[in-house]
Amino acid sequence: MAKPSVVDDEAQREAELEEGRMPFMSHLSELRDRVRNAALAFVAAFLVCWGFAERIFAWLREPLFEIWALHTGPNLKPGEVDWGHPRLIYTGLTQPFWVNMSVALWAVIFLAAPFIFYQLWKFIAPGLYKRERKVTIAFASLSGVFFAGGALFCFYFALPALFRYMLQYNSADLQSLPNIQDYLDLTRDSMLAFGAIFEMPLLIYFLAMVGLVTHRSLWKFSRWFIVLAFVIGAILTPGPDVVSQFLMATPMIVLYNVSILFAWRVTLKRERAAAALEAKYGGKPPPDAED
């Protein structure tokens, strides 16, 4: 027979779920309202981002133009070839329009994502326990922070290093004329790749929570991960230069070692709980497991 503490805990958990239960048609109505709200937020955010698309793209091309400006005008060093005014070109009449459209759509994803995820959360939260709700909110919030941190790291450190390397081929006989669509694709893909890489601590923390990895196994694999990080950096970075690959591999290695600390904390907590159960029940299953 289960002890009162176990029974009370189970009853409380069932009461939490009972609060969120509703008829099937009410679920459909709730889903309709959440989808409608998310769609309205997306459309409103797109209209705002469309109006600022040119300004956003002007911000995105700053890393290229800042490096270009060092090789023209008063910043030109003696003996260097003047690259002329920094500029991007387009080879199709509709390219500027579609670039602005793409910029607006990607900006909408970041602008409207918090509200859209909030609507999704309001739909699924009633079906979760209180502890699961807290964990989900924490993971969602930290995921956005880590992704944004990776994208900004790419924009302010990795992209300038890449452009600095690639533009060194400019000369009196060879002039770079970047296409606006190619530039947007390069910048967007690089920022997305770095954003995904910076999600590593959360992924490893989750794997440690479900017991798939421990800090011991991660530490044993750390030597191989250094090699793997440079391989991934070589694959994901668009340029062949060592600098941009190093700038992707180095944060990966640092984040991996930080993740080991997270996994150590989770594993230590789980092992202490298991030891406490072992000491309390003497190797027998706890009373709630027998029920």
Side-chain angles (χ1 to χ4, degrees):
M1 182 177 179
K3 294 184 178 181
S5 59
V6 178
V7 175
D8 294 342
D9 181 66
E10 185 65 25
Q12 182 179 359
R13 289 165 63 87
E14 288 298 327
E16 291 176 10
L17 287 182
E18 188 65 31
E19 292 178 0
R21 289 175 180 167
M22 62 179 66
F24 178 73
M25 295 305 296
S26 297
H27 271 295
L28 290 181
S29 177
E30 178 74 8
L31 177 61
R32 179 201 61 197
D33 294 341
R34 298 304 172 190
V35 172
R36 179 201 61 203
N37 294 341
L40 291 175
F42 186 89
V43 173
F46 175 78
L47 294 177
V48 173
C49 293
W50 176 255
F52 289 90
E54 292 186 1
R55 296 184 183 181
I56 297 174
F57 189 64
W59 172 72
L60 289 175
R61 65 178 182 238
E62 280 184 5
L64 177 69
F65 280 17
E66 287 179 357
I67 296 173
W68 195 299
L70 297 176
H71 299 271
T72 186
N75 297 319
L76 193 66
K77 297 179 182 179
E80 286 188 340
V81 177
D82 193 337
W83 293 358
H85 185 72
R87 62 192 179 278
L88 298 174
I89 68 166
Y90 61 95
T91 56
L93 293 178
T94 60
Q95 268 190 339
F97 172 82
W98 290 115
V99 165
N100 286 343
M101 177 73 73
S102 181
V103 168
L105 287 174
W106 281 101
V108 164
I109 294 176
F110 291 97
L111 182 62
F115 184 80
I116 293 175
F117 279 116
Y118 173 75
Q119 295 299 317
L120 176 63
W121 169 251
K122 293 293 288 184
F123 179 73
I124 66 175
L128 301 176
Y129 293 114
K130 183 180 295 184
R131 181 177 181 276
E132 293 172 337
R133 297 174 191 173
K134 294 180 179 179
V135 172
T136 304
I137 292 176
F139 264 89
S141 302
L142 290 175
S143 178
V145 172
F146 276 78
F147 187 90
L152 292 175
F153 178 88
C154 172
F155 184 80
Y156 288 107
F157 295 98
L159 286 178
L162 170 64
F163 297 150
R164 193 176 297 111
Y165 176 85
M166 300 306 296
L167 288 175
Q168 69 178 340
Y169 293 102
N170 268 359
S171 64
D173 302 321
L174 188 64
Q175 179 69 48
S176 174
L177 296 174
N179 183 281
I180 55 173
Q181 185 64 61
D182 294 339
Y183 180 80
L184 175 62
D185 294 342
L186 174 64
T187 305
R188 178 199 61 210
D189 295 345
S190 299
M191 295 177 70
L192 290 175
F194 272 83
I197 290 298
F198 272 59
E199 299 285 353
M200 184 189 304
L202 288 181
L203 174 61
I204 293 181
Y205 186 81
F206 174 78
L207 295 177
M209 286 183 61
V210 299
L212 293 179
V213 298
T214 65
H215 62 285
R216 301 181 186 91
S217 62
L218 292 172
W219 180 252
K220 290 180 180 179
F221 187 71
S222 60
R223 292 175 297 176
W224 295 104
F225 184 82
I226 295 176
V227 178
L228 181 63
F230 281 96
V231 172
I232 295 175
I235 295 174
L236 294 184
T237 51
D241 61 300
V242 179
V243 175
S244 59
Q245 296 171 12
F246 183 81
L247 285 173
M248 174 170 281
T250 301
M252 289 178 60
I253 297 171
V254 173
L255 291 171
Y256 181 84
N257 285 275
V258 171
S259 302
I260 294 178
L261 297 178
F262 292 164
W264 170 77
R265 181 178 179 275
V266 173
T267 305
L268 188 64
K269 184 177 180 181
R270 183 188 298 110
E271 290 178 349
R272 285 178 177 174
L277 288 176
E278 178 74 18
K280 185 174 183 179
Y281 299 108
K284 298 180 180 179
D288 57 331
E290 296 177 356
D291 293 345

